């Protein structure tokens, strides 16, 4: 099998195609609605991050006490709107990202805001097979999280956006598809904790499905249930 090149996680808008959008439902982040995806947490230490043991490659089993010793890493996760562009930096794994735009990439400006901040056009999502991920807000404000249940055979219809009012955090189970959180405010800081090995499996929506996910950021669009 040919080597797979590492994806560029911070593409310039000028390099991205304009595509149709697929609007996904926005529901309130409650313990009931998040079942299967994750949990609401009331503090950064309220939930232990799950670490998944490495799988065996054949019929011989991984020996007990091995294969899950990577532990966790933690640090600030910063989100910042730059005009029409949402950027983020995860200090726990020393990486930064472009998460999406408030309009089609050809129209997006980074030095000024040209479109209402009503939606995020999301271009990719990923999951971590090796561990869970925890986010706890360090300041007030609402944020939106886009998730899909485990399994590689996803479609745009697989995704749901969850609206959090603020004041509580979010824990995402291993294998759950997600993209980093989207603040409604200009900037936002979270405390983040996740598996230190940090394996990542990703999907590129324009390439795979010919669309962007449209994630509403409007409180008036929030439903209580799917």
């Amino acid at each position: 099998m040919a080597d797979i090149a590492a994806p560029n996680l911070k593409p310039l808008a000028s390099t991205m195609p304009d595509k149709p959008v697929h609007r996904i439902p926005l529901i309130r982040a409650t313990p009931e609605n998040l079942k299967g995806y994750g949990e609401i947490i009331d503090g950064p230490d309220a939930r232990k991050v799950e670490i998944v043991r490495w799988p065996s490659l054949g019929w011989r089993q991984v020996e007990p006490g091995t294969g899950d010793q990577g532990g966790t890493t933690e640090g600030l996760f910063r989100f910042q709107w730059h005009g029409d562009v949402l950027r983020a930096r995860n200090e726990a794994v020393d990486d930064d990202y472009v998460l999406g735009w408030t309009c089609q990439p050809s129209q997006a400006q980074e030095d000024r805001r040209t479109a209402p901040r009503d939606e995020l056009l999301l271009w990719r999502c990923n999951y971590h097979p090796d561990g869970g991920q925890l986010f706890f807000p360090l300041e007030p404000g609402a944020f939106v999280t886009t998730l899909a249940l485990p399994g590689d055979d996803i479609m745009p219809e697989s995704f749901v956006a969850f609206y959090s009012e603020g004041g509580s955090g979010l824990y995402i189970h291993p294998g759950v598809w997600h993209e980093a959180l989207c603040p409604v405010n200009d900037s936002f800081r979270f405390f983040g904790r996740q598996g230190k090995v940090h394996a990542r499996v990703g999907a590129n929506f324009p390439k795979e499905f010919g669309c962007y996910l449209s994630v509403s950021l409007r409180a008036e669009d929030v439903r209580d249930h799917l």
Side-chain angles (χ1 to χ4, degrees):
M1 181 182 295
D3 291 339
I4 300 174
N8 175 15
L9 300 181
K10 42 188 175 182
L12 295 173
S14 60
T15 67
M16 298 295 288
D18 286 358
K19 292 289 185 180
V21 300
H22 175 84
R23 290 180 171 84
I24 64 174
L26 178 65
I27 65 172
R28 200 171 308 281
T30 66
E32 182 67 27
N33 287 339
L34 281 165
K35 281 185 178 177
Y37 299 93
E39 304 166 18
I40 292 174
I41 55 172
D42 58 10
D45 298 317
R47 176 64 158 88
K48 184 177 179 181
V49 172
E50 300 160 276
I51 301 298
V52 177
R53 180 181 293 178
W54 298 343
S56 60
L57 299 180
W59 62 269
R60 299 182 188 274
Q61 298 301 302
V62 175
E63 294 180 351
T66 68
D68 57 0
Q69 299 159 291
T72 60
T73 185
E74 60 189 51
L76 285 180
F77 212 139
R78 304 175 185 269
F79 299 82
Q80 178 75 52
W81 283 97
H82 295 262
D84 302 323
V85 182
L86 180 60
R87 291 183 172 271
R89 176 160 186 80
N90 184 354
E91 296 181 4
V93 295
D94 191 26
D95 214 346
D96 55 313
Y97 323 94
V98 168
L99 302 182
W101 306 272
T102 57
C103 54
Q104 289 288 341
S106 66
Q107 302 168 351
Q109 300 295 321
E110 191 154 355
D111 61 347
R112 65 189 186 279
R113 180 171 163 181
T114 67
R117 197 174 296 160
D118 290 338
E119 64 178 344
L120 173 69
L121 299 189
L122 195 62
W123 71 276
R124 82 181 306 271
C125 271
N126 69 92
Y127 70 84
H128 308 305
D130 58 309
Q133 191 164 7
L134 177 152
F135 303 87
F136 192 79
L138 299 178
E139 50 203 88
F143 59 91
V144 176
T145 313
T146 302
L147 305 175
L149 294 172
D152 280 1
D153 295 326
I154 52 164
M155 296 293 289
E157 295 80 8
S158 306
F159 289 85
V160 179
F162 294 87
Y163 187 92
S164 298
E165 300 281 356
S168 58
L170 178 67
Y171 175 75
I172 300 172
H173 292 307
V176 169
W177 288 91
H178 63 280
E179 191 45 282
L181 317 184
C182 179
V184 175
N185 295 342
D186 288 342
S187 63
F188 213 95
R189 296 177 305 131
F190 291 85
F191 169 81
R193 183 181 290 130
Q194 64 189 91
K196 195 170 185 178
V197 174
H198 189 56
R200 187 178 62 224
V201 180
N204 182 310
F205 297 119
K207 286 185 177 179
E208 292 191 34
F209 306 115
C211 69
Y212 293 103
L213 292 193
S214 171
V215 181
S216 175
L217 305 181
R218 293 157 38 101
E220 52 266 43
D221 291 340
V222 178
R223 311 177 196 171
D224 287 331
H225 305 285
L226 275 178

